[in-house]
Amino acid sequence: MILLSSGPVNVSARVRAALQRPDLCHRESEFADLLQGIRRKLVQAFVPGAEADYTAVLLTGSGSAAVEAAVLSSLPNGKRALVINNGVYGERLASIVGVHRLGVAEFKLDWRTRPDPEKLRLALRQHPEVHVVAMVHHETTTGLINPVKEMAEVADSLNRVFVLDSVSGLGGEELDVAGPHLYMVAGTAHNCLQGVPGVSFVLVRKGFMERMKAYPKRSWYLHLPHYYEDAEKGSSPVTPAVQVFHAFDEALNELLEEGVAARIQRYRNASAMIRKKMDALGMKPVLPAELQSNSLTAYHLPDGVTYQALHDKLKEQGYIIYPGQGLLDGKIFRVANMGALTEQQIEGFLAAFQKALELVAIKP
C-alpha cells in the first residue's frame, strides 16, 4: 500500500530490515552505542556547524510526546506559555498547556493565515508572565508553513524562549535551528525522516537544558532533563522501543547519505508533480502556493464527491490519502508526499486518482 499521508509513511527496505536486527537489552553497552549514534546523527543533520551548542533527547512515543515533553519541561514556576494556533496541531499545543493551566490567551488565527511577528511582539509586551512561545512549523491541517525565523527572532529579542513543533517539518522544510536561537525543536522518527512510528526527540540548546534541570517536574514520563541525564550515561529512564531505534538509526543513515537539502528538493519536486496534475484535473487547493509546504497539499473536495468515496476507490488501487481534520472534516482531502516514494509511485497515484475521480463523479 502506498501511503500519501503525513505519517506513518512508506519506508525503505533498509529501514524495514533494521527492525529485524537481533534482540538487544537497553541496559547493555550495545544500546548505549546505538542511542549515542542516533543523538549524534540528529545534531549533525539539523544543526550543522552548531553541533556543540545542541543536544538531542530521545523518547519512546509519538511526535506528540516530544511536543508535550518540550512544553512541560520549559516553564519555570510562575511563568506561562503563549501558543500560536492556526490549525489542529496548534490547538493540540494549546490543549497541552491548558490541561496544566500554564497558558495565556491564545494567539489564535484563521487556519489559512500565517501569524504576524509584530502582533506577537505586542502580545508579549502585554504579557510579561509569558516565558515560552510555542508554534507549529508545518501545520499539516492545511499544509501551511509558519514563519519560524521571524517569530523566533521576535521572541528572542524580548528574552522569551521559542519552542517549535517540527514533527512534520524536519527533513522536509528548510529550518535554521541555531540562527534564530530556537531553544527546542520537537520531531519524530516517521514523517519526513522516513522511519517508523514509536520514537520521537527534542533538539535542545545545551545551555537551556541546564536551566531546565531546576524547573518543576510536571510529568514523570515526559520530563526532558530526566531523559537527558540518563542519555548522557548511555541509558534511558524507561524501556525504549529498541527495534524502532534500530530502524530510526538506519533512516538517519539514509538521510545523511541523501543529504537534508537533497531530500527537501525531492519532496519539492514530488509536490510540484502532484500540484500540476491536480490543477489539470480541476482540483482547488486550500492554500495559495506561497503558503504551501513541500510535502503536503490540501484540496477542497469536488462538488458531489465525498471523502469516503474518493478514499475507498483509491484504496482499491493501492493508495491511501488523508482526510480533513477538525472544522475541515468532510470538506477537504490531503495528499502528502513524505516517505520513501519514487517518481514512478507518484505517477501511479496520479493515474489512480484520475480514475477514482471519474468513478466517484458518476451520478446515479
Side-chain angles (χ1 to χ4, degrees), residues 248-269:
F248 189 26
D249 185 54
E250 194 59 41
L252 288 172
N253 288 339
E254 288 187 334
L255 176 65
L256 291 170
E257 290 166 16
E258 182 178 13
V260 175
R263 177 161 298 179
I264 291 170
Q265 187 59 52
R266 174 162 61 84
Y267 284 177
R268 187 179 289 120
N269 293 343

Side-chain angles (χ1 to χ4, degrees), residues 28-335:
E28 297 299 313
S29 61
E30 291 85 353
F31 177 77
D33 292 341
L34 174 64
L35 175 63
Q36 304 299 31
I38 292 172
R39 297 176 71 207
R40 183 177 62 253
K41 290 168 190 176
L42 282 168
V43 174
Q44 179 183 349
F46 297 114
V47 205
E51 292 95 332
D53 298 328
Y54 283 81
T55 187
V57 183
L58 276 76
L59 303 93
T60 291
S62 70
S64 294
V67 172
E68 186 159 352
V71 173
L72 294 185
S73 302
S74 65
L75 287 166
N77 276 321
K79 294 296 183 179
R80 296 290 181 264
L82 185 149
V83 173
I84 297 162
N85 176 355
N86 57 354
V88 165
Y89 295 95
E91 286 190 346
R92 183 175 296 182
L93 262 173
S95 180
I96 288 169
V97 300
V99 164
H100 295 269
R101 299 181 181 180
L102 295 172
V104 297
E106 291 176 57
F107 195 100
K108 197 166 186 177
L109 303 159
D110 179 86
W111 286 3
R112 293 165 293 181
T113 304
R114 281 178 173 164
D116 181 343
E118 291 310 309
K119 289 184 178 179
L120 173 62
R121 189 185 303 278
L122 177 62
L124 292 178
R125 285 174 173 162
Q126 292 173 338
H127 291 280
E129 73 276 21
V130 167
H131 180 71
V132 166
V133 176
M135 187 178 77
V136 176
H137 181 194
H138 177 196
E139 183 54 83
T140 53
T141 307
T142 57
L144 182 146
I145 293 297
N146 277 316
V148 175
K149 182 176 184 293
E150 295 84 351
M151 302 298 279
E153 286 178 345
V154 168
D156 192 59
S157 71
L158 296 174
N159 298 314
R160 295 334 201 271
V161 171
F162 195 81
V163 176
L164 186 68
D165 168 357
S166 193
V167 167
S168 296
L170 277 173
E173 304 294 330
E174 289 90 352
L175 180 65
D176 180 5
V177 174
H181 299 141
L182 304 187
Y183 282 74
M184 292 199 286
V185 178
T188 191
H190 64 284
N191 293 8
C192 299
L193 302 194
Q194 300 182 184
V196 299
V199 174
S200 58
F201 60 90
V202 186
L203 300 173
V204 189
R205 291 185 70 175
K206 287 183 178 178
F208 188 57
M209 176 59 76
E210 293 304 314
R211 286 164 56 186
M212 284 196 296
K213 290 178 182 179
Y215 293 174
K217 182 182 285 189
R218 296 186 171 89
S219 167
W220 191 94
Y221 191 85
L222 297 175
H223 188 59
L224 283 181
H226 196 182
Y227 284 85
Y228 173 72
E229 289 170 349
D230 274 32
E232 289 293 283
K233 303 170 188 174
S235 187
S236 169
V238 297
T239 304
V242 178
Q243 282 74 16
V244 180
F245 275 58
H246 277 307
F248 189 26
D249 185 54
E250 194 59 41
L252 288 172
N253 288 339
E254 288 187 334
L255 176 65
L256 291 170
E257 290 166 16
E258 182 178 13
V260 175
R263 177 161 298 179
I264 291 170
Q265 187 59 52
R266 174 162 61 84
Y267 284 177
R268 187 179 289 120
N269 293 343
S271 65
M273 286 176 59
I274 291 167
R275 291 164 190 171
K276 181 178 180 181
K277 179 65 173 180
M278 291 293 187
D279 183 61
L281 292 173
M283 297 297 101
K284 303 300 182 185
V286 173
L287 297 176
E290 65 271 16
L291 300 185
Q292 294 174 343
S293 72
N294 296 320
S295 59
L296 184 145
T297 316
Y299 291 96
H300 294 284
L301 283 161
D303 291 341
V305 174
T306 66
Y307 170 77
Q308 200 62 51
L310 185 60
H311 167 275
D312 292 352
K313 290 300 179 185
L314 281 165
K315 189 173 182 179
E316 289 172 6
Q317 300 177 75
Y319 299 92
I320 299 293
I321 56 172
Y322 224 40
Q325 293 175 285
L327 299 173
L328 297 175
D329 183 25
K331 298 178 181 179
I332 70 169
F333 66 95
R334 293 175 291 168
V335 180

